[in-house]
Amino acid sequence: MTAFDSFPLGQPGFVTHILDRTAHLRGDDAKLLALEGRGDARAYVVYRDSLVVKQEAEGPRALLTIDEALKFGANPGTIFLGLREDAPVFGMGISAAAAEKLLPRTDVAVTELRGMAMQGVVPPDQLSAIAMAKSMVSWHQRHGYCANCGTRTAMKEGGWKRDCPNCKAEHFPRTDPVVIMLVTSGDKCLLGRQKQFPAGMWSCLAGFVEVAETIEDAVRREIFEESGIHCAHVNYYMSQPWPYPSSLMIGCTARATNEDIVVDRTELEDARWFDRAEATLMLKREHPDGLAGPHPFAIAHHLVGRWLQTIPGPRA
């Protein structure tokens, strides 16, 4: 099985849920402490965009025992993610100094999450829980002080809330909605390139939903701003949690009403139309010019793949 086989159509990374979040346990400090002390308790240790993994003969192991996590230098505060087959699973952070001490070791590694996921090193059924851990650890690191009065806040409810002891404000983690869309016109689809993409890679257009904006309006606005293309018939396909740092990718399709592209060079390096034959070769990594579509790890791949499976319709 290749890394591509790990993400069949309709199942990008971070969408397979294996945890029972058991939110009713978050307010029971005594119960959470008991769960953390159980021998079957496990944790994902997050450092920025990387995971601390145990190196074993079978390959890297991301799910650590609590003792392993603490011995590697993880911060003692745990975030309760939920239960996996009745075993408690937590998220933990680690400081830069502690992570740096691990670098010379051979029994443990600090490895970039996205690369491991795309290579199939981390089992796909663990990625949703890892996304939870990564987003939550990042949120706590960025929200240690009350936005209302500036006082240091305290972690509560298993890590799913921070309370201000001064002004009593309650702070909860947020998810940023992002629309990502495949624009089509007859037998062609519109893909774009960003400067940071690997050479030859093209993907769907995307952008954040703005305040007081519907998903449909965000799709139409982002497409027009980045490519000059007007769209109609916006439809929802599926969503994908994206823990960089904490977004929800809302996958949509839209039909173009014009085809003359005007690229916004501040957003994109380029944008162009691809026909079905070319898009198929790109997803298969068989394009004669070395062009490639998005990896199956990302929802953009599944938007293109689903379109390629549909029967061509009439031009708009």
Side-chain angles (χ1 to χ4, degrees):
M1 177 179 289
T2 67
F4 272 51
D5 298 324
S6 299
F7 305 102
L9 193 62
Q11 296 181 40
F14 303 125
V15 302
T16 304
H17 298 276
I18 58 170
L19 292 184
D20 178 354
R21 296 189 179 218
T22 52
H24 63 281
L25 297 177
R26 296 173 185 171
D28 191 334
D29 292 341
K31 179 65 173 179
L32 293 180
L33 187 61
L35 288 174
E36 188 177 331
R38 281 175 36 175
D40 60 349
R42 297 292 184 268
Y44 295 106
V45 178
V46 178
Y47 175 64
R48 297 180 181 172
D49 289 342
S50 298
L51 283 178
V52 175
V53 296
K54 184 76 167 61
Q55 299 284 41
E56 298 181 332
E58 299 81 10
R61 172 168 56 85
L63 200 55
L64 308 177
T65 68
I66 301 296
D67 284 344
E68 285 173 332
L70 293 174
K71 288 177 181 177
F72 292 155
N75 300 327
T78 58
I79 301 163
F80 179 61
L81 304 181
L83 301 177
R84 178 181 182 178
E85 298 177 353
D86 294 324
V89 180
F90 297 86
M92 302 175 74
I94 188 171
S95 68
E100 188 173 347
K101 289 181 180 178
L102 299 177
L103 298 181
R105 295 178 56 166
T106 58
D107 62 326
V108 61
V110 182
T111 307
E112 196 267 332
L113 169 60
R114 193 181 320 203
M116 285 196 297
M118 292 175 66
Q119 295 164 23
V121 175
V122 178
D125 65 359
Q126 292 191 36
L127 291 177
S128 175
I130 292 172
M132 292 170 63
K134 185 186 179 308
S135 290
M136 291 298 291
V137 166
S138 177
W139 178 72
H140 282 287
Q141 290 172 342
R142 292 180 289 115
H143 293 82
Y145 294 87
C146 179
N148 188 49
C149 72
T151 302
R152 179 74 180 180
T153 55
M155 181 187 293
K156 298 292 183 180
E157 295 193 6
W160 289 86
K161 183 174 79 166
R162 295 192 73 93
D163 282 352
C164 177
N166 181 49
C167 70
K168 309 306 178 184
E170 297 177 317
H171 303 277
F172 298 91
R174 292 288 184 266
T175 295
D176 297 317
V178 177
V179 288
I180 181 166
M181 44 276 173
L182 182 69
V183 184
T184 62
S185 179
D187 238 8
K188 298 178 293 188
C189 69
L190 178 69
L191 300 177
R193 264 194 60 78
Q194 296 183 6
K195 293 180 180 179
Q196 67 268 27
F197 282 2
M201 178 184 161
W202 295 74
S203 189
C204 298
L205 307 188
F208 285 97
V209 179
E210 294 187 346
V211 174
E213 185 175 44
T214 67
I215 291 171
E216 294 83 357
D217 282 344
V219 167
R220 287 186 284 263
R221 175 183 55 78
E222 285 288 344
I223 293 170
F224 179 72
E225 287 178 355
E226 295 186 358
S227 68
I229 298 297
H230 292 279
C231 288
H233 305 291
V234 175
N235 290 289
Y236 170 79
Y237 169 45
M238 68 176 296
S239 61
Q240 178 189 27
W242 194 251
Y244 297 97
S246 186
S247 298
L248 180 66
M249 308 298 290
I250 303 168
C252 296
T253 59
R255 185 176 298 174
T257 58
N258 67 298
E259 294 187 354
D260 295 327
I261 297 172
V262 180
V263 178
D264 178 356
R265 301 292 176 180
T266 63
E267 294 286 339
L268 298 175
E269 182 179 86
D270 201 2
R272 54 164 285 202
W273 295 102
F274 294 87
D275 63 26
R276 287 175 179 268
E278 199 168 13
T280 299
L281 293 174
M282 291 166 68
L283 288 197
K284 292 181 177 180
R285 300 300 197 268
E286 296 176 357
H287 194 283
D289 297 330
L291 304 185
H295 191 282
F297 169 70
I299 189 174
H301 174 99
H302 301 261
L303 284 164
V304 178
R306 179 173 176 262
W307 173 69
L308 290 173
Q309 286 192 346
T310 62
I311 299 172
R315 292 177 62 86

